[in-house]
Amino acid sequence: MNTELKLKIKKITMLSIKIAIGSCLSIYIATLLQLDFAISVGIITLLTILTTKWETLKLSLLRILTFLISVLILWIISNYIESNWIAYGVFILLIVFISEFLGWGATISTNAVVGTHFLTTHDFSFEFIMNEALLVGIGISFAILVNLFHDTNHQKSRIIRDMRETESKLQEILKELANYLYNNPMGNNVWSDIIALENNLEVYIERAFEYHNNTFQPHHNYYTHYFEMRARQCSILHNLHYEMKKIRRLPSQAEIIAEYVSYLKEYVVEMNDPRKQIERLEQLFEDMKQEELPKTREEFESRAILYHILMDLEDFLILKRRFVDSLDDRQLNKYWK
């Protein structure tokens, strides 16, 4: 069983356990309080628990707001429509439209449950409204409570391993590209390595985003921004590889660029400010300008592609420099010092 499958199974198992425990406890408390429709509070808890603490907290607050809107809509509808099935259809039409328009679509399911209670009893007394409010309150309270238990330390360790793996893969890809510029055969796995890394980075970004939303520290978006930066760098290498394959005959200047790429790959690490690599690249641009002009069309085209490769490498480094420049003092102290 591969690592990703194990992580997926563990994540689903933890979510299932939290939903089961939260739902059971919420039903138990609602039953102790002798609330009507106590069993429904388990559904409210289930529908509120998501994968991250922040999402659960945000959704809980929105459920309270939309509960009040739902009660008002139901009260108005019940005064004009006697048929329950028509009234429920009109209610769903309105609450779905309002929720989706406001970007609160995730609250619809809970309001649908509450709507069935009001339309079943046709009771809009203060006592019954408080009954439903308590059901919603108990449901979301247990959802928040059980979601506080999250293994963020394990998540962080996994993210750091992802970072090291990403850097290692980028270095391997740069090594292969340098070998090609040295006029050594390029391995057939380079293209697949780039594609595989791009796919992995999508997973890493999602994992970092989930970790950020399971903490209450704003600086933890560091990991999300890091992987987004690496994903853009990988895209540049994708284009760079494509450009290299267009070269029919490598000119002598290709070896100079190969030496630079070999030098650069050693600095594809987390804690590196690429200013020195950018300065060396700028000097390489100047040296290229001093080279003798190409004599044939083929040499001209190859030289133009090499110049474009240098520009891609510059973009590659600028992405890292912008990432470093975007770090605030708290992030620099925590992650770099």
Side-chain angles (χ1 to χ4, degrees):
M1 187 182 297
N2 61 46
T3 304
E4 290 300 324
L5 182 57
K6 288 181 181 178
L7 288 172
K8 183 177 180 180
I9 292 174
K10 180 179 179 180
K11 179 180 175 181
I12 293 173
T13 301
M14 288 301 297
L15 182 61
S16 302
I17 292 172
K18 287 193 291 186
I19 289 174
I21 292 174
S23 298
C24 289
L25 290 176
S26 61
I27 292 172
Y28 175 70
I29 296 299
T31 302
L32 283 181
L33 294 175
Q34 296 182 338
L35 298 178
D36 294 334
F37 301 104
I39 195 72
S40 298
V41 75
I43 300 174
I44 294 173
T45 302
L46 180 152
L47 295 171
T48 307
I49 295 177
L50 297 178
T51 55
T52 68
K53 297 176 185 177
W54 274 116
E55 287 176 334
T56 301
L57 184 60
K58 178 183 176 182
L59 182 57
S60 298
L61 294 173
L62 292 178
R63 288 201 191 285
I64 295 172
L65 290 175
T66 52
F67 168 76
L68 299 174
I69 296 172
S70 296
V71 172
L72 178 60
I73 293 173
L74 287 163
W75 178 74
I76 294 172
I77 290 174
S78 65
N79 287 327
Y80 293 96
I81 303 175
E82 294 183 0
S83 173
N84 280 346
W85 66 274
I86 296 177
Y88 189 74
V90 174
F91 165 67
I92 291 297
L93 170 67
L94 294 175
I95 201 63
V96 168
F97 178 84
I98 293 171
S99 298
E100 292 292 345
F101 182 80
L102 295 175
W104 301 348
T107 67
I108 294 170
S109 52
T110 297
N111 292 317
V113 174
V114 170
T116 61
H117 298 170
F118 279 103
L119 293 176
T120 299
T121 62
H122 290 278
D123 186 354
F124 288 89
S125 65
F126 177 77
E127 290 76 12
F128 191 75
I129 293 174
M130 287 304 299
N131 180 91
E132 296 303 298
L134 283 171
L135 290 178
V136 173
I138 292 169
I140 65 177
S141 295
F142 275 98
I144 294 171
L145 182 63
V146 298
N147 235 14
L148 290 175
F149 298 94
H150 205 91
D151 190 6
T152 52
N153 289 330
H154 181 269
Q155 271 191 311
K156 183 177 179 180
S157 299
R158 177 70 248 184
I159 287 170
I160 291 173
R161 289 199 297 272
D162 293 341
M163 293 168 74
R164 301 292 86 84
E165 183 178 342
T166 298
E167 292 159 3
S168 176
K169 290 296 183 182
L170 285 172
Q171 290 172 355
E172 290 177 14
I173 292 168
L174 285 169
K175 181 180 178 180
E176 287 289 340
L177 297 178
N179 285 336
Y180 181 77
L181 292 173
Y182 277 127
N183 209 15
N184 296 327
M186 187 182 294
N188 295 326
N189 62 332
V190 179
W191 186 266
S192 59
D193 285 347
I194 294 174
I195 297 295
L197 181 55
E198 287 179 328
N199 293 333
N200 287 341
L201 282 166
E202 291 181 6
V203 176
Y204 299 161
I205 290 171
E206 182 180 348
R207 193 174 288 159
F209 182 75
E210 182 178 330
Y211 171 74
H212 171 57
N213 281 330
N214 273 318
T215 63
F216 295 100
Q217 299 294 330
H219 58 76
H220 286 318
N221 61 7
Y222 170 87
Y223 296 117
T224 307
H225 293 164
Y226 174 85
F227 285 118
E228 288 173 344
M229 177 269 296
R230 291 304 189 194
R232 289 192 285 269
Q233 283 188 323
C234 188
S235 179
I236 287 174
L237 293 185
H238 193 137
N239 295 332
L240 194 150
H241 174 257
Y242 181 73
E243 291 293 333
M244 284 184 177
K245 300 297 287 184
K246 291 181 181 179
I247 301 177
R248 298 177 182 177
R249 183 178 179 183
L250 289 170
S252 58
Q253 293 81 5
E255 187 171 338
I256 299 173
I257 299 177
E259 291 175 357
Y260 178 79
V261 174
S262 298
Y263 153 79
L264 174 63
K265 75 179 180 64
E266 301 300 327
Y267 294 93
V268 182
V269 292
E270 178 186 0
M271 296 177 207
N272 175 63
D273 188 331
R275 297 183 190 278
K276 290 184 178 180
Q277 289 75 55
I278 292 174
E279 289 175 3
R280 182 162 173 174
L281 182 61
E282 290 173 349
Q283 184 58 52
L284 191 55
F285 271 113
E286 292 299 319
D287 294 342
M288 289 280 288
K289 291 179 182 178
Q290 305 302 319
E291 292 284 336
E292 183 180 353
L293 293 174
K295 296 182 174 60
T296 65
R297 178 184 179 86
E298 184 180 60
E299 187 179 353
F300 175 83
E301 290 175 349
S302 298
R303 189 87 66 87
I305 293 174
L306 287 180
Y307 194 81
H308 196 277
I309 290 171
L310 288 179
M311 294 175 66
D312 284 340
L313 292 172
E314 183 179 39
D315 290 338
F316 182 90
L317 290 169
I318 287 174
L319 283 172
K320 180 62 184 300
R321 189 184 67 187
R322 287 175 179 169
F323 169 76
V324 176
D325 291 343
S326 71
L327 301 178
D328 56 32
D329 292 338
R330 181 184 296 180
Q331 289 174 323
L332 286 171
N333 290 328
K334 181 172 179 62
Y335 301 103
W336 283 46
K337 295 181 180 179

